[in-house]
Amino acid sequence: MTQPTPAPALAPSTVTTVDGLIAAVLAGDHGPLPSALVATSVFWIHHGTRLAGGDTTYLNQYVLVRLGGSFGGCAFEAGEIDPSVCRDSSGTPLDVLLREAPSPLRIAALDAYLSEIRPHRVAAATDAAEAVALPAGTPEVRAKARDAAIAGLLDIEQGAKVGLIGVVNPLVAAIRARGGEPLPCDFNLRATQWGDPVTDDMHEVLDRAEAVVATGMTLSNGSFDTVLERCRSRGIPLIVYAQSGSAVARAFLGSGVTAVSAEPFPFSQFSAEETTLYRYRTAGGA
């Protein structure tokens, strides 16, 4: 296949919805036509994690798409996609996945395309992104380093209310360490490790927050556009921490997203060695 040429330095985005971004990619506005590209491999991954000292077992499912030298990834809810996706979708033209696949697979395909057009490592080499090394070590060491890097994108006053859409306990702690008051929201958790109540009503959180930190899972479950529009209309910072759709979230910088912590595959939990995440900020910072 013809390898896409890396794009020039990032400019402020004009896209406002995920469907709008997909339509622009299908039209060739971001690079080669997806109809000329093939998803070489599709992967289905399911794992569980319980960090030391915690009482929460995180159950995560990911679908991954390999395109050329890049991977795209997206988490999904249990039962939404089964392992047969590997057989059915590997070798499929990318435009077919972008048009017809289940939502998480569409996001993974879109992420693979945007990652191939402009790899995060290229953005870091041109100073469009900051490469942050996560240290080798235990899951606890690596999770704390990752979440401290995410919280480091917050520029907030002491006591500021920070909406957290998608809860992991080390990130709750990292937001508190930055002086923020977390407002946790998650569909699957009812309390944090410290007993903080977790709501499943993101609208309540979006109404109260002075800044929002959202997971890339919002791309998979369809809530990203709502979070984006609400933060844009209220004029509050939106930071996306993205294993899911790391290059997709990046595409909204300057169009409602103020910062992104992008962690392309292989994600930190799949390695005990040093890995890299990439932090992006808009010109005004987060």
Side-chain angles (χ1 to χ4, degrees):
M1 100 181 180
T2 302
Q3 295 296 323
T5 302
L10 293 171
S13 175
T14 58
V15 296
T16 58
T17 66
V18 173
D19 282 347
L21 177 59
I22 291 175
V25 166
L26 286 168
D29 293 349
H30 289 258
L33 288 170
S35 57
L37 307 174
V38 171
T40 306
S41 299
V42 173
F43 305 78
W44 183 94
I45 298 176
H46 185 183
H47 75 91
T49 298
R50 178 174 290 198
L51 297 174
D55 58 2
T56 300
T57 300
Y58 302 99
L59 297 175
N60 301 111
Q61 298 81 214
Y62 298 92
V63 62
L64 304 168
V65 172
R66 176 72 181 267
L67 175 67
S70 300
F71 290 86
C74 189
F76 59 90
E77 296 290 351
E80 196 172 0
I81 294 176
D82 65 48
S84 66
V85 71
C86 304
R87 178 192 64 231
D88 297 340
S89 299
S90 295
T92 300
L94 202 69
D95 66 315
V96 174
L97 297 184
L98 290 173
R99 288 190 174 97
E100 302 176 7
S103 178
L105 183 50
R106 292 176 76 208
I107 295 299
L110 180 63
D111 190 38
Y113 178 91
L114 295 172
S115 296
E116 181 73 353
I117 294 302
R118 185 174 181 81
H120 294 295
R121 64 182 179 275
V122 172
T126 58
D127 295 325
E130 172 196 7
V132 178
L134 300 180
T138 66
E140 292 75 22
V141 165
R142 288 173 57 74
K144 288 178 181 178
R146 178 198 64 204
D147 293 337
I150 295 166
L153 291 167
L154 283 167
D155 183 11
I156 54 175
E157 296 182 359
Q158 188 72 25
K161 294 179 174 60
V162 179
L164 180 56
I165 312 296
V167 176
V168 288
N169 285 311
L171 186 50
V172 173
I175 290 171
R176 284 205 170 101
R178 295 284 296 180
E181 177 187 334
L183 302 177
C185 175
D186 197 286
F187 290 139
N188 298 311
L189 296 179
R190 297 284 68 86
T192 70
Q193 179 180 340
W194 303 275
D196 309 287
V198 177
T199 181
D200 61 1
D201 184 355
M202 74 172 182
H203 299 285
E204 172 193 341
V205 168
L206 294 173
D207 285 344
R208 296 175 56 202
E210 297 165 74
V212 172
V213 180
T215 175
M217 181 69 175
T218 55
L219 290 162
S220 175
N221 64 25
S223 61
F224 178 81
D225 286 352
T226 299
V227 174
L228 183 72
E229 189 281 328
R230 188 69 179 128
C231 291
R232 187 192 300 119
S233 67
R234 292 192 58 214
I236 61 174
L238 171 58
I239 295 89
V240 182
Y241 67 102
Q243 292 183 335
S244 295
S246 62
V248 178
R250 178 183 65 183
F252 291 89
L253 280 165
S255 182
V257 171
T258 44
V260 175
S261 174
E263 191 179 340
F265 186 79
F267 308 138
S268 57
Q269 64 266 40
F270 295 135
S271 177
E273 303 303 319
E274 181 178 294
T275 56
T276 304
L277 63 77
Y278 300 86
R279 300 199 301 186
Y280 296 83
R281 297 176 174 87
T282 55

